[in-house]
């Protein structure tokens, strides 16, 4: 007998979204401790919804839980960034090809770009950018593929938040998004997939360049 997952209680959901927003706007910085008692007092709730929210955020990769250190905001480094973006480079272009092969509507992607252009802060822009990418891969026809990409969305957003704090490059990403959508609307599946791959690859390489080693003479 199959059981549906229990819905997240409203207080836990409120705390979860508030912590996520703080992480994705830089209010809570990578490596910062997340003390249950302090968060509970700040939100005016008991420690239970805070604890449950932190567990959920740990599952999405935004928070790290340690037996000794407790909960902390996940630290972003080059290794973590390349790990997350490598998954995206492998899966997103193929998902986009499949979406276009199924003649999926791209209206949600177009609307997400409009929201990104009018975003009031980094969190809102990051959310709109995530919605743009999701609108491209969600109709791919393979629910498992879409879920796999969903699982790295928050981690990718954390990477972009840290990168934007150092080098604000969202205008370049917006231009690349428009080109991806243009190719997709024109029915150029291969061109759109290549542009998407290059967009993901160039961002992570620009923001977190991998160190290269050279043999000594």
């Amino acid at each position: 007998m199959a059981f549906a997952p229990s819905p997240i209680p409203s207080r836990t959901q409120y705390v979860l979204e508030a912590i996520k927003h703080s992480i994705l706007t830089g209010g809570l910085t990578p490596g910062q401790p997340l003390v249950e008692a302090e968060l509970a007092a700040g939100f005016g709730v008991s420690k239970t919804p805070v604890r449950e929210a932190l567990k959920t955020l740990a599952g999405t990769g935004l928070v790290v839980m340690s037996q000794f250190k407790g909960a902390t905001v996940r630290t972003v480094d080059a290794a973590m960034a390349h790990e997350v973006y490598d998954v995206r480079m492998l899966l997103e272009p193929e998902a986009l090809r499949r979406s276009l092969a199924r003649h999926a509507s791209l209206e949600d992607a177009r609307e997400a770009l409009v929201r990104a252009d009018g975003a009031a802060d980094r969190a809102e822009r990051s959310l709109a950018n995530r919605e743009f990418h999701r609108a491209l891969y969600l109709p791919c026809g393979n629910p498992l593929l879409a879920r796999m990409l969903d699982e790295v969305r928050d981690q990718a957003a954390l990477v972009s938040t840290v990168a934007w704090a150092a080098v604000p490059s969202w205008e370049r990403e917006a231009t690349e998004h428009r080109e991806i959508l243009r190719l997709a609307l024109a029915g150029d599946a291969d061109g759109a997939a290549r542009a998407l791959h290059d967009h993901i690859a160039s961002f992570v390489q620009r923001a977190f360049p991998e160190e290269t080693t050279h043999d000594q003479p």
Side-chain angles (χ1 to χ4, degrees), residues 133-166:
H133 281 272
R134 192 168 193 262
L136 298 180
Y137 69 70
L138 190 62
C140 68
N142 185 326
L144 178 58
L145 175 56
R147 284 198 302 272
M148 290 172 70
L149 285 165
D150 274 348
E151 288 177 2
V152 299
R153 290 176 75 217
D154 286 343
Q155 296 175 62
L158 179 58
V159 170
S160 65
T161 296
V162 171
W164 285 350

Side-chain angles (χ1 to χ4, degrees), residues 63-74:
V63 169
V64 175
M65 306 287 283
S66 168
Q67 181 179 354
F68 303 104
K69 295 183 179 180
T72 58
V73 179
R74 183 170 184 177

Side-chain angles (χ1 to χ4, degrees), residues 72-141:
T72 58
V73 179
R74 183 170 184 177
T75 300
V76 175
D77 57 19
M80 177 269 193
H82 282 274
E83 179 181 298
V84 171
Y85 275 64
D86 187 44
V87 172
R88 295 185 62 197
M89 284 188 285
L90 288 170
L91 299 182
E92 277 196 46
E94 177 60 25
L96 174 57
R97 283 193 184 93
R98 296 186 178 200
S99 294
L100 296 178
R102 300 176 76 239
H103 304 289
S105 171
L106 298 174
E107 188 56 34
D108 287 346
R110 192 201 307 270
E111 291 176 359
L113 289 190
V114 173
R115 288 194 297 275
D117 287 341
D121 56 35
R122 285 187 299 181
E124 186 178 340
R125 184 179 293 107
S126 177
L127 178 60
N129 284 346
R130 290 158 63 201
E131 288 173 349
F132 169 76
H133 281 272
R134 192 168 193 262
L136 298 180
Y137 69 70
L138 190 62
C140 68

